[in-house]
Amino acid sequence: MALQSAAGSIRTGLIGFAFLSYLILIGIPGRIGGSALPVLALISALFFWLNLRREAAHHLARNPEQGLEGDEGKPGWEIGANADSDRSSLHALLTARPGTALALRGLLAGLTTGLLIAVVSGIFAAAMGNGVAIQPVLDKIVPINVAALIGVSPGQIVQAEVSFIRFLLQILLFAGAGTLAGLAVSAGGSNLTTAARSGFLAAHVSGPTLGSVGRFAGIALPFVLLAYIAWIGLPGVTAFGTNEGTVRLLLTLIATGSGLFAVRLSRPGREQRIVAVLLGLGVVSMPFILDQFQNSVMGLVFIFVMMGLGLNIVVGYAGLLDLGYVAFFAIGAYTYAFLSAPFSSPYISGLLILMGVSPDSPLLGYWMALPVAMLTAAIGGVLLGIPVLRLRGDYLAIVTLGFGEIIRLFMLNLGELTNGPRGILEISQPALFGVSPAGVTFGLLSSQGWIFLLALVSSALVAFVAIRLNSSRLGRAWFAMQEDEDVAEATGVHLVRTKLLAFAIGATFAGMAGQLYAARQINIFPENFTLFVSIDALALIIVGGIGSPAGIVLGALALKGLPEVLRGVDEYRIVTFAALLVIMMIVRPAGILPSARRRTQGTDPDEAGFDDSGELMEGLVSEEQVAASPGLANGKEEVR
Amino acid sequence: MTSRPVTARAAGTDGRAALKHFTRAFGAAIVVLVVWRVTTVGLAEGYPASFWISQALNGLVLGGVYALVALGYTLVYGILFMINFAHGEVMMIGGITGYFALQFALARGWMEGPWAIVVIALLTIMVIGMAASVLIGVALERLAYRPLRQAPRLVPLISAIGASLFLQYSVLLIFGVSPHSYRKPALISGGLRLGDVFIPYTGAIIFITSILLMLALYFIIQRTKLGRAMRAVAEDRATASLMGVDVNAVIVVTFMLGSALAGAAGVMLGFHNTVVKFNSGFIPGLKAFTAAVLGGIGNIPGAMFGALILGLIEAVGPSALGIPTEYKDVIAFSLLVLILIFRPTGLFGEVLSEKKA
Amino acid sequence: MTALLSLQHVTKVFGGLTAVDNVDLEIAERSITSLIGPNGAGKTTLFNCLTGLHRPEVGEILFDGSSLIGLRPDEITDRGVARTYQNIRLFGRMTALENVLVGQHLRLHASHWSAVLRTRRQQEEEHAARESARALLRFVGLHGREEVVSTNLPYGDQRLLEVARALGSQPRLLLLDEPAAGMNPSETDRMMELVHRLRDEKGITIFLIEHDMKVVMSISESVAVLDYGEKIAEGTPEEVRADARVVEAYLGPEVAVQETAGPASG
Amino acid sequence: MLILDSVHTYYGHIHALKGISLRVNEGEVVTLIGSNGAGKTTTLNTISGVLPARAGAIYFQDSPQGGGSSSLPGRENGIRLDRMPAHEVARLGVSQSPEGRKIFARLSVQENLALGAFARTDSDGVRDDLERVFELFPRLKERLSQPGGTLSGGEQQMLAIGRALMSSPRILLLDEPSMGLAPLLVQQIFQIIREINAQGTTILLVEQNAQAALQVADRGYVLETGNIVLSGAADSLLANPQVAEAYLGI
């Protein structure tokens, strides 16, 4: 046992080293400068913490009886590989004191990491000191990073002397980080959701409303922490303190997101209603308070909420994987653009004249254009829907993806119709009662605040329709179709009609979102409508929790809002986002706020594509999930 | 129980005569349109035969490369029923690594040496590219996919998309935005002239290498014990493990094989396109995936033929239809949409994809 | 009694293999008919032809005088034919009540707009649907299990729920595919009693596939035997049991001798 | 030869096996009977490593002579199967013919059989075993190159058993071999189980068809909702009125 755990710690250290090497490669220490080493040590402490905690939880899940009686209850009867027979005093000590064991493991892992980092940076520094050139591209970034790691500025590289003390310092820093992590894990107990516990405490101490706030704080705290780390850690010195607006935007995002958590976690009934109303008031007041930039980000977030809600109908409710959803977004945007921008193509003006609109005195207002855009998108949805009715699963995904690309390529290449890559400029802004807010302040509202408000109202409307439909017989038919298409049909569901309705309604919502997007952007270009828009929309509903409207809002805040906060460090934005996406899927595959129905999804044998043997694996899955999901899952169960 | 997951219905479409007629009419109209376009515009241009032949050869070369990448998609899909969206990036990593290996070789003057040395160096470069791709492919499987084996299908897809972006932008951060250009050694920069048709050496080499690699893969899958284990795991993981097959090992080997082919494709594409950069895996990856679906995903010969067909049509299509070459992607995707409408499981689709798709 | 369902020369071929071969069959209104035969004899394929999942190459299927050939599965359900499945195929993540509500899909007519606006009519219809779904669950003996997610139901209850879901569409003919498969004797008895009540209280005609000879012999008024897609015998249970061809192809000497042998295969 | 010592298994949060203890001796046919969902298949899957045991131990003794420290009786010199991945368990000679047959439908009969011998390196032994399987199931020899999926239900069951035999198992775990088969075939399958046992293979048999199972078995265990409620010699179980009422349908 002791041997195994030593091997595990060394492995943790090796992974930690690989992880830090990656950070060095992409150039983070160079950005941070001399303070790189402590910061990296802190990051690695966080990493050790996660890893040790997961292993501790995993260990507990596997041997529930351990910790109580150790292995002592049974004589050592195994032979061969599983020999547990070396019951040294060390082993006895470790099983008796899991905290000490964890701290020791952290120490070992930290030592491994530190030693490797020291050796590698030593080699680099020595090489540089001797003037050995390292291969082309790499020599620009890596030496600076490594130099920063041992506290040398780029200018001093040539004189970089390799000091033993510095090596020792490196090793000690990481060893300390590891020990710290081990202690932190053991201090938190088996569940390690100290934050959630304080929320639980608050719930008991104060009244119900305050209680739910306390609970939400407990749940949201890890997120706040994560956002903080992302914000402080990644941009480094360059972004730090540069823009107050960004900080406020971050706070806005976090407040909205944690508000949603509070609603979900408060007790159903009066308490929940109060929290929901408070949240609603807070959000509706935002457009009036935030500045132009913050409003524009929040507007984008809620445009994507609409997208997410629409795509959720197709993917989440009806189970049809659509990767070309951007097509309808684009159709909505371009339809509005045609109707409201000075650009005129002979085809479009001809069409407008046919419709009885004079082509040179433009133009349909936002509200007149809205039904047109929605209808066009819906028609697009049906036109895509008909040919792909027979396709399933991944085939459907790739065909819709192709469809989305075809639409984009047409926009790019049909210059006469769409002005090609030059895009359509000067799209008019939505007006209310004949007053257009473009450029000027519209009462208390900035122009972007106005867009945000519109997005807010439209998404509320869309969410309302989506929720109502989902709880009707149509929603049941969609879900039945997703579960088993053949049986649904044999039970009386008209597949063609039901599928086409899903496509059409989803497309209509995307059309609405597209129109508002065009109004927000004022100028639109084909490159606004790449595959990545579809991927963003899909990712946000999955990250948020597929099938759950609240989850979709949360997903949009996280995936469309947070990256804007990180804009100062553009290159790191996407990498961080991408890594978070992967980690998110592993840690919480059902999304942040899954709908009640899908909470079982992670263990659904069919979904896993595993036939009935999936059932057999069920035990494995949930065990791993228990082990892998940090604070959130455990904490939530605890406070309920 | 096996029939419980969505079984595609071979015969279930019977009741949908109207829809069928509609799609048939739609397809017929497209075919007529294409034929009309080809005869009145494409052929009317009066290009010489040699033009068409060199276009077709070009298409075959491209198709060969697509095929290598498509095989990776299809192998992984066959076993895990997931789209390894990051496979294009695995290929790109092979290309980037190959570039550095090439730089190294160029700096040492090996590329101007006697032909035996050049050949060995080129082979080594390809092997290094393949090794890098294998490394990344295995890491992907271990970190981004294995923890998600039992999750609903969409989850690994999102994870794969995340991994794809992660790899792209990591390469961007490490190696910069600017493209790295492959310099061909003199030995292979020429070409063969047959009448009016010019065949570049690189093209010929790429095509032949692709075919050889594909044959090797086919042999492994069909004739070896390992291949048998792979096919068994593809059908039923739990039962395969009851036979003593180490399922995880087989899945890792599958990723290794697919990634090795992608790495080779990455290096060859580097020589073909002369440049590589952080996002140069994305579009070829998408095309290769299209090819895999075209041939019926999960089906190995299907992926090969799908890719060759796609390459051919992409090369010949724009001229034949008399439209600008910017539309070649439109042609590729339209072809895909059309074929799937009429054969929902791809050209060579079989039970496997029907069962699971 | 008139024939509710009548099959004439029904033939279904799968790539050279004749799964159902020129089958003629009449099923009388309010009768209980069993279909037996060895595995792979084409029993389930015949059911699939009846419910529109497969379209027979040759032959005619008349239900209440009109043809079912070429109709979509949901149209056939609309005419009044419902079924259950050999390997239970419930909507796994839906509750028992929701499963039955999906079964009622065809009998609900409120428009989707009215669902968004929650008009009074739509609300009333939903309410009535829920009430009748509850009644159906009570009828099959799943009272109190309404809100249980169907995969979490015990195996026997899942089979009962499949019946309840089928009843949701108010069928006149109910096709049961091995309703007692995998059940222990007491559960089997419960299922047999339910089948009788379906016929007696609801007047539904029952057509079932079953391997458990005890069930078949005690429940059915007539029995048809399929072998290699062909109908080799038809008649009362006693006649069929005595039929030499049936004994040879299916039952084996042992079963034929012991009147009600132990439970056959699960 | 095989000992389960208070084994607990979970499906997610469902406690499927609640401390199963049982023993299979060399050369025996032991049967597990019980209604659906009692945990029969779960028991087999836990033994073969497809499912992890959360608690308890499974011991497997490889050689009948009890090599190694043979002074200790019973399980002490066995190998622990729990915590071992399925493929390693299979390589020890514990071979399972799974419920629902699980033939590799697109692989030929020959390839299916070859997979049964996947972990073996003794090609002579494999050839002998192939002959033995063909003797037991002459039908399989006729269909050697046919894809497994095109076989009839009975033939698939034969293939499943044959495939399990190809690993030259020390102990054969049979899961519902009679499931979904016509009465005539059921009789044949049980005949063959007897034959295999007579040739020297220990068998642990899980059956829905309790009567037939008890007729071939030496001993039996009755499972109910994850617990063993009754065990004993097969004859005494057959005669037991409780068993008769609950499982034999008399």
Side-chain angles (χ1 to χ4, degrees):
Chain A
M1 215 47 137
L3 265 176
Q4 260 178 11
S5 106
S9 324
I10 291 176
R11 205 181 51 206
T12 306
L14 282 173
I15 303 173
F17 169 67
F19 174 57
L20 293 180
S21 308
Y22 172 77
L23 294 186
I24 293 170
L25 269 177
I26 65 174
I28 286 184
R31 285 260 185 156
I32 308 179
S35 54
L37 200 51
V39 170
L40 282 192
L42 272 180
I43 293 177
S44 65
L46 186 74
F47 169 82
F48 292 143
W49 183 76
L50 285 171
N51 220 25
L52 290 175
R53 218 197 58 167
R54 203 189 66 199
E55 282 175 28
H58 195 67
H59 194 66
L60 256 150
R62 273 202 164 269
N63 311 315
E65 83 276 24
Q66 207 160 18
L68 297 177
E69 44 168 329
D71 275 348
E72 307 304 331
K74 291 176 186 159
W77 35 34
E78 300 91 343
I79 53 160
N82 281 5
D84 270 9
S85 42
D86 66 323
R87 340 213 112 249
S88 58
S89 54
L90 177 69
H91 181 253
L93 178 80
L94 291 188
T95 33
R97 293 162 167 269
T100 319
L102 276 170
L104 278 176
R105 296 194 51 188
L107 176 68
L108 191 56
L111 277 174
T112 314
T113 317
L115 194 65
L116 285 168
I117 296 253
V119 167
V120 171
S121 61
I123 290 173
F124 266 92
M128 282 183 302
N130 292 325
V132 177
I134 300 161
Q135 276 298 307
V137 177
L138 289 174
D139 64 359
K140 282 175 216 137
I141 306 162
V142 174
I144 295 174
N145 281 326
V146 176
L149 207 57
I150 52 174
V152 181
S153 76
Q156 296 173 296
I157 283 185
V158 188
Q159 289 89 34
E161 60 181 60
V162 187
S163 115
F164 181 69
I165 303 292
R166 281 197 168 128
F167 282 177
L168 215 59
L169 181 73
Q170 281 186 346
I171 298 170
L172 285 180
L173 255 172
F174 284 97
T179 317
L180 216 69
L183 285 174
V185 172
S186 63
S190 61
N191 270 326
L192 309 153
T193 46
T194 338
R197 280 189 184 169
S198 57
F200 189 63
L201 197 70
H204 278 275
V205 174
S206 52
T209 315
L210 246 184
S212 58
V213 172
R215 269 180 283 167
F216 110 71
I219 299 297
L221 213 63
F223 279 91
V224 178
L225 216 64
L226 208 71
Y228 185 72
I229 289 167
W231 193 74
I232 299 283
L234 292 185
V237 278
T238 44
F240 187 63
T242 44
N243 189 350
E244 198 188 325
T246 325
V247 183
R248 277 178 56 200
L249 176 59
L250 181 67
L251 290 177
T252 311
L253 293 172
I254 292 174
T256 319
S258 0
L260 277 166
F261 263 109
V263 175
R264 181 61 81 89
L265 292 176
S266 45
R267 288 187 196 87
R270 203 169 63 97
E271 182 184 324
Q272 196 163 44
R273 274 200 300 276
I274 292 173
V275 181
V277 167
L278 282 176
L279 174 68
L281 282 177
V283 173
V284 170
S285 65
M286 276 180 191
F288 302 92
I289 300 168
L290 302 177
D291 70 16
Q292 189 78 337
F293 165 66
Q294 294 153 3
N295 266 323
S296 89
V297 172
M298 292 305 280
L300 185 69
V301 166
F302 276 86
I303 286 171
F304 269 83
V305 168
M306 287 160 77
M307 288 274 282
L309 287 166
L311 185 60
N312 185 46
I313 288 184
V314 184
V315 179
Y317 294 163
L320 305 162
L321 182 50
D322 184 348
L323 285 183
Y325 194 58
V326 63
F328 313 120
F329 187 59
I331 290 175
Y334 266 84
T335 308
Y336 178 55
F338 290 147
L339 295 177
S340 75
F343 166 79
S344 75
S345 86
Y347 303 97
I348 301 289
S349 0
L351 199 70
L352 287 181
I353 291 167
L354 276 180
M355 285 164 61
V357 183
S358 156
D360 17 86
S361 74
L363 313 161
L364 260 62
Y366 186 85
W367 303 106
M368 298 281 281
L370 187 61
V372 183
M374 284 166 65
L375 189 72
T376 324
I379 291 171
V382 173
L383 283 185
L384 167 69
I386 289 175
V388 302
L389 276 172
R390 289 164 68 201
L391 300 176
R392 298 191 186 200
D394 303 313
Y395 289 92
L396 182 66
I398 185 69
V399 168
T400 47
L401 187 152
F403 182 72
E405 282 292 288
I406 289 173
I407 294 276
R408 186 182 65 84
L409 288 166
F410 273 133
M411 290 185 313
L412 199 61
N413 294 311
L414 290 181
E416 299 137 35
L417 188 68
T418 65
N419 211 19
R422 276 154 298 161
I424 299 183
L425 313 178
E426 294 172 51
I427 296 164
S428 67
Q429 297 278 287
L432 195 61
F433 309 121
V435 187
S436 167
V440 289
T441 314
F442 186 61
L444 279 172
L445 277 175
S446 64
S447 60
Q448 288 297 333
W450 172 230
I451 300 275
F452 175 25
L453 192 63
L454 270 181
L456 212 55
V457 173
S458 319
S459 8
L461 198 73
V462 164
F464 176 78
V465 173
I467 292 172
R468 282 277 168 99
L469 279 179
N470 191 40
S471 62
S472 77
R473 72 189 177 101
L474 183 62
R476 287 194 298 267
W478 279 334
F479 197 40
M481 195 168 75
Q482 178 180 12
E483 293 278 280
D484 191 328
E485 202 172 297
D486 295 335
V487 178
E489 186 174 27
T491 314
V493 174
H494 190 309
L495 286 185
V496 173
R497 191 185 299 150
T498 313
K499 276 189 185 178
L500 286 184
L501 264 172
F503 275 120
I505 296 172
T508 310
F509 292 174
M512 277 173 81
Q515 172 170 9
L516 196 53
Y517 181 74
R520 173 186 184 268
Q521 298 293 100
I522 304 176
N523 309 319
I524 57 169
F525 310 94
E527 70 255 34
N528 294 128
F529 304 99
T530 59
L531 175 63
F532 287 100
V533 178
S534 304
I535 290 179
D536 272 349
L538 186 65
L540 76 88
I541 65 175
I542 289 169
V543 166
I546 200 161
S548 131
I552 288 166
V553 178
L554 211 65
L557 286 169
L559 295 192
K560 295 308 294 186
L562 270 187
E564 296 297 324
V565 176
L566 298 175
R567 220 178 235 301
V569 277
D570 218 31
E571 319 92 273
Y572 295 110
R573 190 165 67 114
I574 302 175
V575 169
T576 317
F577 164 76
L580 281 179
L581 211 56
V582 176
I583 294 169
M584 175 75 208
M585 288 299 99
I586 292 169
V587 171
R588 222 173 144 74
I592 310 175
L593 271 186
S595 75
R597 225 176 220 170
R598 331 248 148 187
R599 231 165 270 164
T600 51
Q601 213 176 26
T603 53
D604 187 322
D606 280 358
E607 289 282 339
F610 211 82
D611 285 1
D612 38 351
S613 35
E615 280 167 27
L616 310 179
M617 297 310 224
E618 216 175 74
L620 275 172
V621 185
S622 38
E623 186 178 304
E624 264 169 30
Q625 278 179 346
V626 169
S629 59
L632 270 175
N634 298 341
K636 200 151 145 194
E637 265 167 31
E638 207 174 299
V639 290
R640 276 193 167 193
Chain B
M1 281 302 262
T2 4
S3 52
R4 168 99 212 270
V6 278
T7 42
R9 106 175 30 131
T13 48
D14 287 347
R16 307 202 182 130
L19 196 69
K20 211 167 174 178
H21 290 315
F22 175 82
T23 44
R24 275 196 186 150
F26 181 65
I30 299 262
V31 169
V32 168
L33 200 70
V34 167
V35 170
W36 172 75
R37 204 57 213 182
V38 169
T39 47
T40 58
V41 183
L43 295 181
E45 292 275 339
Y47 291 117
S50 61
F51 170 83
W52 296 112
I53 293 174
S54 32
Q55 291 283 48
L57 288 177
N58 210 359
L60 281 180
V61 172
L62 213 54
V65 176
Y66 287 163
L68 289 181
V69 185
L71 283 171
Y73 279 109
T74 254
L75 279 174
V76 169
Y77 190 90
I79 286 202
L80 291 179
F81 305 105
M82 66 160 284
I83 303 169
N84 179 8
F85 214 85
H87 194 60
E89 277 59 52
V90 171
M91 179 193 98
M92 175 270 293
I93 300 263
I96 290 268
T97 316
Y99 162 78
F100 284 105
L102 178 66
Q103 289 301 103
F104 188 82
L106 282 170
R108 305 261 168 322
W110 294 346
M111 285 302 168
E112 284 94 51
W115 70 267
I117 294 202
V118 176
V119 168
I120 291 173
L122 284 175
L123 277 178
T124 314
I125 287 169
M126 195 160 95
V127 169
I128 290 174
M130 288 165 84
S133 289
V134 166
L135 208 67
I136 294 292
V138 171
L140 265 182
E141 192 273 331
R142 186 71 193 80
L143 299 176
Y145 304 151
R146 192 181 294 184
L148 302 175
R149 289 266 176 82
Q150 271 76 42
R153 325 174 52 108
L154 275 174
V155 170
L157 183 70
I158 294 297
S159 175
I161 289 169
S164 159
L165 285 173
F166 182 78
L167 288 176
Q168 274 190 39
Y169 285 86
S170 293
V171 167
L172 171 88
L173 286 172
I174 298 172
F175 301 112
V177 190
S178 51
H180 306 295
S181 53
Y182 267 70
R183 214 170 73 221
K184 283 182 208 170
L187 184 72
I188 57 167
S189 46
L192 213 62
R193 189 167 288 282
L194 293 174
D196 287 339
V197 182
F198 177 75
I199 306 170
Y201 287 135
T202 40
I205 294 171
I206 288 172
F207 186 70
I208 291 168
T209 317
S210 308
I211 297 290
L212 286 178
L213 284 172
M214 282 186 260
L215 287 177
L217 180 80
Y218 196 74
F219 176 80
I220 290 177
I221 302 262
Q222 290 298 329
R223 292 277 180 273
T224 65
K225 196 168 160 180
L226 173 71
R228 198 157 58 217
M230 284 170 68
R231 284 182 290 147
V233 171
E235 272 200 45
D236 186 339
R237 261 179 264 168
T239 307
S241 74
L242 289 178
M243 305 291 115
V245 177
D246 184 345
V247 173
N248 275 334
V250 167
I251 290 174
V252 169
V253 168
T254 309
F255 268 87
M256 288 171 84
L257 283 176
S259 306
L261 294 183
V267 174
M268 293 196 290
L269 208 62
F271 279 111
H272 187 73
N273 293 345
T274 68
V275 288
V276 285
K277 58 179 198 170
F278 73 100
N279 62 358
S280 59
F282 187 72
I283 293 292
L286 212 58
K287 291 280 179 56
F289 178 48
T290 305
V293 174
L294 207 60
I297 194 158
N299 179 328
I300 288 166
M304 300 184 201
F305 288 113
L308 289 177
I309 291 169
L310 190 73
L312 269 179
I313 291 197
E314 217 177 272
V316 179
S319 324
L321 292 173
I323 54 180
T325 41
E326 286 87 61
Y327 282 98
K328 72 179 171 44
D329 293 351
V330 176
I331 295 178
F333 288 121
S334 310
L335 177 78
L336 172 82
V337 173
L338 274 181
I339 287 186
L340 285 187
I341 289 170
F342 293 100
R343 281 198 60 98
T345 54
L347 285 177
F348 307 93
E350 45 164 343
V351 259
L352 164 89
S353 38
E354 286 183 4
K355 201 169 92 187
K356 299 286 183 178
Chain C
M1 273 196 285
T2 55
L4 180 65
L5 181 75
S6 125
L7 282 67
Q8 293 152 13
H9 313 298
V10 172
T11 302
K12 175 74 204 168
V13 181
F14 286 122
L17 182 88
T18 309
V20 175
D21 194 355
N22 199 14
V23 169
D24 292 317
L25 198 63
E26 301 251 303
I27 290 180
E29 178 124 39
R30 292 179 70 99
S31 70
I32 299 178
T33 308
S34 292
L35 184 63
I36 63 172
N39 270 82
K43 303 183 298 290
T44 298
T45 309
L46 188 68
F47 267 28
N48 287 344
C49 289
L50 288 177
T51 50
L53 217 56
H54 300 330
R55 183 189 184 129
E57 274 76 22
V58 185
E60 181 59 276
I61 300 173
L62 293 175
F63 178 71
D64 201 18
S66 65
S67 173
L68 294 185
I69 302 280
L71 294 184
R72 284 193 315 269
D74 56 298
E75 289 172 327
I76 292 178
T77 309
D78 201 14
R79 300 278 172 97
V81 180
R83 72 173 292 184
T84 68
Y85 298 85
Q86 183 181 358
N87 34 13
I88 302 171
R89 291 173 81 172
L90 290 167
F91 303 122
R93 283 181 287 152
M94 286 180 156
T95 64
L97 190 72
E98 284 174 316
N99 266 284
V100 183
L101 284 171
V102 175
Q104 291 176 322
H105 187 79
L106 275 166
R107 309 299 166 209
L108 302 178
H109 301 288
S111 75
H112 304 314
W113 287 117
S114 68
V116 172
L117 302 174
R118 291 242 164 106
T119 60
R120 225 179 93 212
R121 225 194 108 229
Q122 190 262 353
Q123 289 289 80
E124 280 165 4
E125 189 187 75
E126 273 290 295
H127 187 73
R130 276 169 198 278
E131 280 313 302
S132 76
R134 286 208 174 86
L136 285 176
L137 285 172
R138 235 186 337 265
F139 183 82
V140 300
L142 289 179
H143 185 58
R145 299 291 175 90
E146 287 86 354
E147 299 305 327
V148 181
V149 174
S150 63
T151 37
N152 294 343
L153 284 172
Y155 182 83
D157 287 357
Q158 293 195 12
R159 287 229 172 263
L160 295 175
L161 180 54
E162 273 215 323
V163 175
R165 180 179 66 188
L167 292 179
S169 65
Q170 301 166 10
R172 293 177 63 196
L173 172 66
L174 183 59
L175 308 176
L176 301 171
D177 198 342
E178 300 204 30
M183 287 184 160
N184 64 32
S186 66
E187 287 172 330
T188 305
D189 289 343
R190 230 170 110 201
M191 180 58 84
M192 281 162 62
E193 188 218 320
L194 176 63
V195 170
H196 274 294
R197 278 168 52 220
L198 283 173
R199 198 264 307 266
D200 299 339
E201 293 174 25
K202 293 202 180 279
I204 297 172
T205 310
I206 308 281
F207 186 23
L208 70 145
I209 295 175
E210 190 48 70
H211 266 310
D212 189 333
M213 291 315 291
K214 187 179 148 205
V215 173
V216 172
M217 293 304 161
S218 61
I219 207 173
S220 4
E221 284 146 13
S222 70
V223 177
V225 189
L226 281 191
D227 189 27
Y228 291 106
E230 278 182 78
K231 189 177 79 180
I232 57 171
E234 189 181 6
T236 64
E238 289 72 28
E239 288 165 10
V240 167
R241 187 159 49 197
D243 188 301
R245 280 185 73 188
V246 178
V247 171
E248 188 205 339
Y250 181 56
L251 296 176
E254 208 177 304
V255 177
V257 173
Q258 311 173 343
E259 290 241 320
T260 49
S265 57
Chain D
M1 149 169 258
L2 183 75
I3 296 171
L4 272 69
D5 182 9
S6 57
V7 170
H8 292 257
T9 304
Y10 290 77
Y11 285 115
H13 297 291
I14 303 163
H15 198 167
L17 297 186
K18 301 165 186 163
I20 299 278
S21 296
L22 59 83
R23 165 188 288 266
V24 183
N25 297 319
E26 183 81 30
E28 274 188 320
V29 177
V30 173
T31 182
L32 280 178
I33 58 177
S35 58
N36 243 292
K40 306 187 298 289
T41 298
T42 311
T43 307
L44 289 198
N45 283 327
T46 309
I47 295 172
S48 59
V50 174
L51 282 175
R54 187 82 60 95
I58 302 169
Y59 304 94
F60 173 67
Q61 192 176 36
D62 195 16
S63 92
Q65 281 73 38
S69 50
S70 55
S71 56
L72 299 167
R75 61 195 179 192
E76 276 75 17
N77 47 12
I79 298 168
R80 289 236 358 213
L81 294 189
D82 50 320
R83 301 182 196 181
M84 215 183 250
H87 62 99
E88 283 178 24
V89 174
R91 285 169 193 204
L92 286 175
V94 179
S95 184
Q96 185 181 357
S97 159
E99 183 183 9
R101 306 187 271 272
K102 301 285 172 61
I103 292 301
F104 298 111
R106 288 178 303 134
L107 271 57
S108 70
V109 169
Q110 185 162 27
E111 285 177 319
N112 266 287
L113 291 173
L115 267 166
F118 182 79
R120 295 175 65 179
T121 44
D122 54 327
S123 47
D124 290 345
V126 172
R127 212 171 304 131
D128 292 346
D129 276 336
L130 196 61
E131 281 311 309
R132 178 178 160 214
V133 169
F134 289 152
E135 264 168 45
L136 283 171
F137 309 109
R139 286 279 274 285
L140 294 184
K141 198 169 183 175
E142 298 160 22
R143 316 206 159 213
L144 219 47
S145 57
Q146 212 171 309
T150 61
L151 300 183
S152 73
E155 287 165 344
Q156 286 193 4
Q157 186 60 57
M158 294 175 188
L159 179 55
I161 297 176
R163 187 179 60 181
L165 285 175
M166 284 304 292
S167 65
S168 171
R170 307 280 307 125
I171 179 164
L172 186 60
L173 314 177
L174 290 175
D175 198 349
E176 305 269 6
S178 77
M179 186 164 82
L181 297 185
L184 193 62
L185 272 171
V186 174
Q187 293 161 26
Q188 271 181 30
I189 290 286
F190 279 104
Q191 197 63 47
I192 287 164
I193 292 172
R194 274 201 195 95
E195 233 171 287
I196 293 170
N197 181 244
Q199 291 173 3
T201 308
T202 310
I203 291 175
L204 178 57
L205 172 68
V206 157
E207 254 301 335
Q208 184 66 210
N209 188 344
Q211 185 155 20
L214 287 173
Q215 276 164 5
V216 298
D218 300 310
R219 291 189 301 116
Y221 291 88
V222 180
L223 271 174
E224 228 165 62
T225 58
N227 289 305
I228 288 185
V229 292
L230 211 60
S231 65
D235 312 340
S236 68
L237 286 181
L238 264 176
N240 186 314
Q242 280 169 285
V243 176
E245 195 196 343
Y247 304 105
L248 305 180
I250 296 168

